[in-house]
Amino acid sequence: MPSTPVTLDMGHRGPLISLSSWIMMVVMCISVLLKVASKFWKVRALQGDDCIILAAMVTAVCSIVATSEQVAAALGQHAKDLSTSQIEKYQKAEYTAQILYLSSLGLAKTGSAIFMKTLARTAINRALINGMASLNIAWVLAGVIGIAFQCQIAHTWAILSNQCFNQPLFWNAIGSFDVLIDVMLIAFPVRVVWDLQMSWSKKALVIGVFALRILVIPLTILRLVFLTSASKSLDHTYDDFNTVLITEFGMTLGIIMSCLPFLKAILDDLQAGVLTPEVRVASGLPPHRKTSSYALRSLARNGRKSNAQTVPDTSQHWLKEPIQHDTSISAAGDDEASPRNSYGTQNMYIRQKTSLKSQQV
């Protein structure tokens, strides 16, 4: 017996949410996988921010699945046409989706903060980013706990009952901190990128990419407006349509914005701006690009100079001609140092003098 297709009429708007959410989910997943792949291509390893953004993607996908369960139960339909079991299923699905929504936002912001910290070259910038990351973690924990216990313990999922705290007030507080942290994620890269050795045009491009996160803020504000309006409704399953739709768009767009700085061209500009040969040596790294760890991580270790390091083979050096440094070099096991103007093929210990100078060959 052929199945009856779902019609998108004004009496059942739920399928519109399912369609748009799954489209945004596909775009989000592609963005995250491209981000991880482009960084893996340079690093040959998964790092902390990669795992966090992947976790954010998985959490967002689970939230979209929970929203689809809302649609299957009651979302987009008038409450008068629904059974008690449908209303109960709807509440449980929305309760789950709310927790996953906030968790996904927090993970995506944490991944962005970790990436920014790798670019920070000064102690004050790193301290500011650490402060923002701490605020983000506290915000997520407080929000998730609040959502989990917003109603009576016996029925914490019964979000449409009159046994819950002031939900519009709670979500307005959560949304305010959401906007605040997004503003920080836009403003802090300006401080960080300003110190990098890049042309003004490249700095403007990189800052502009980070600033695209501003597109998420209007969605967050619009979500709060719809949520406050729907809280006064007696037909939640129908009037929650706009709130849920904006929620899904805001969540997926926030993750996409976290992936944009990892576009290959942007990543190349950042790597070139951060890791000039002098900066690499001063950071305790060999003055070449191919390292076993992610190049941008060196800035998180600014000031930690190593007394001994391995000098790479000349074939791996990223300069056509090596830069002569005011250093003395001795072979491992040798007592006397002999200056050299190029890097040998064997492991050497570099004894740094009090000042590191570069002179043109």
Side-chain angles (χ1 to χ4, degrees):
M1 186 174 178
S3 59
T4 304
V6 177
T7 58
L8 302 179
D9 56 35
M10 293 304 293
H12 185 20
R13 302 185 294 175
L16 286 172
I17 291 181
S18 294
L19 178 62
S20 59
S21 296
W22 286 89
I23 291 174
M24 287 297 293
M25 184 192 73
V26 170
V27 176
M28 175 196 68
C29 291
I30 291 174
S31 300
V32 171
L33 295 177
L34 285 176
K35 178 264 184 194
V36 174
S38 64
K39 187 156 167 261
F40 186 85
W41 178 258
K42 290 179 175 291
V43 185
R44 295 295 190 270
L46 286 177
Q47 296 188 311
D49 60 313
D50 301 315
C51 296
I52 288 175
I53 200 67
L54 285 170
M57 180 190 74
V58 172
T59 308
V61 170
C62 292
S63 178
I64 291 172
V65 171
T67 300
S68 297
E69 289 299 312
Q70 279 184 266
V71 173
L75 182 59
Q77 303 179 59
H78 291 288
K80 62 182 178 62
D81 301 325
L82 303 172
S83 65
T84 302
S85 62
Q86 285 179 295
I87 297 294
E88 182 176 318
K89 184 179 178 182
Y90 168 85
Q91 292 179 95
K92 290 179 179 179
E94 183 172 358
Y95 175 77
T96 303
Q98 287 178 354
I99 294 176
L100 293 170
Y101 160 74
L102 195 58
S103 301
S104 179
L105 289 184
L107 287 169
K109 295 180 197 296
T110 300
S112 296
I114 291 176
F115 176 60
M116 277 194 289
K117 189 175 178 181
T118 64
L119 300 177
R121 297 177 59 182
T122 63
I124 187 171
N125 283 344
R126 290 194 293 273
L128 288 172
I129 294 171
N130 285 336
M132 178 188 65
S134 300
L135 175 63
N136 178 63
I137 293 172
W139 166 70
V140 173
L141 290 177
V144 169
I145 292 173
I147 295 171
F149 300 101
Q150 60 185 303
C151 302
Q152 285 186 341
I153 298 298
H155 299 91
T156 54
W157 49 265
I159 57 178
L160 299 183
S161 67
N162 56 1
Q163 303 299 319
C164 305
F165 58 54
N166 191 328
Q167 294 166 320
L169 180 62
F170 169 78
W171 280 110
N172 276 301
I174 291 295
S176 298
F177 277 98
D178 189 5
V179 171
L180 175 62
I181 296 171
D182 277 334
V183 170
M184 291 180 178
L185 288 172
I186 295 169
F188 284 7
V190 177
R191 286 185 57 98
V192 172
V193 175
W194 193 267
D195 294 332
L196 302 185
Q197 299 181 15
M198 302 164 62
S199 66
W200 290 107
S201 60
K202 289 183 177 180
K203 285 183 179 181
L205 175 61
V206 173
I207 291 172
V209 170
F210 278 103
L212 286 175
R213 178 172 283 274
I214 200 172
L215 297 174
V216 180
I217 295 178
L219 293 178
T220 302
I221 296 173
L222 192 59
R223 177 182 183 272
L224 297 178
V225 172
F226 284 138
L227 190 147
T228 303
S229 176
S231 67
K232 304 172 185 177
S233 172
L234 298 177
D235 192 4
H236 282 282
T237 56
Y238 187 81
D239 292 333
D240 283 349
F241 172 84
N242 291 329
T243 303
V244 175
L245 183 63
I246 293 298
T247 297
E248 299 303 307
F249 269 100
M251 177 182 65
T252 52
L253 185 61
I255 295 176
I256 292 170
M257 292 299 106
S258 297
C259 297
L260 286 184
F262 290 88
L263 293 174
K264 185 180 184 302
I266 302 299
L267 201 59
D268 287 344
D269 285 345
L270 283 172
Q271 187 172 0
V274 172
L275 300 179
T276 59
E278 293 83 356
V279 173
R280 291 187 60 86
V281 173
S283 301
L285 293 175
H288 65 95
R289 282 182 178 176
K290 295 181 180 180
T291 61
S292 59
S293 62
Y294 184 36
L296 298 178
R297 185 193 295 174
S298 66
L299 274 302
R301 302 170 180 167
N302 189 33
R304 301 180 188 175
K305 297 182 180 180
S306 175
N307 293 327
Q309 65 187 37
T310 301
V311 180
D313 189 276
T314 36
S315 62
Q316 293 183 343
H317 203 284
W318 69 324
L319 301 173
K320 292 182 179 179
E321 296 292 339
I323 293 180
Q324 288 186 342
H325 300 286
D326 188 9
T327 58
S328 57
I329 305 176
S330 61
D334 292 346
D335 293 328
E336 296 187 0
S338 59
R340 303 191 181 190
N341 61 0
S342 62
Y343 296 120
T345 57
Q346 65 184 104
N347 293 339
M348 300 290 183
Y349 290 105
I350 300 180
R351 299 194 186 109
Q352 299 279 0
K353 290 188 176 180
T354 46
S355 62
L356 180 63
K357 302 178 183 178
S358 298
Q359 61 183 26
Q360 186 173 359
V361 178

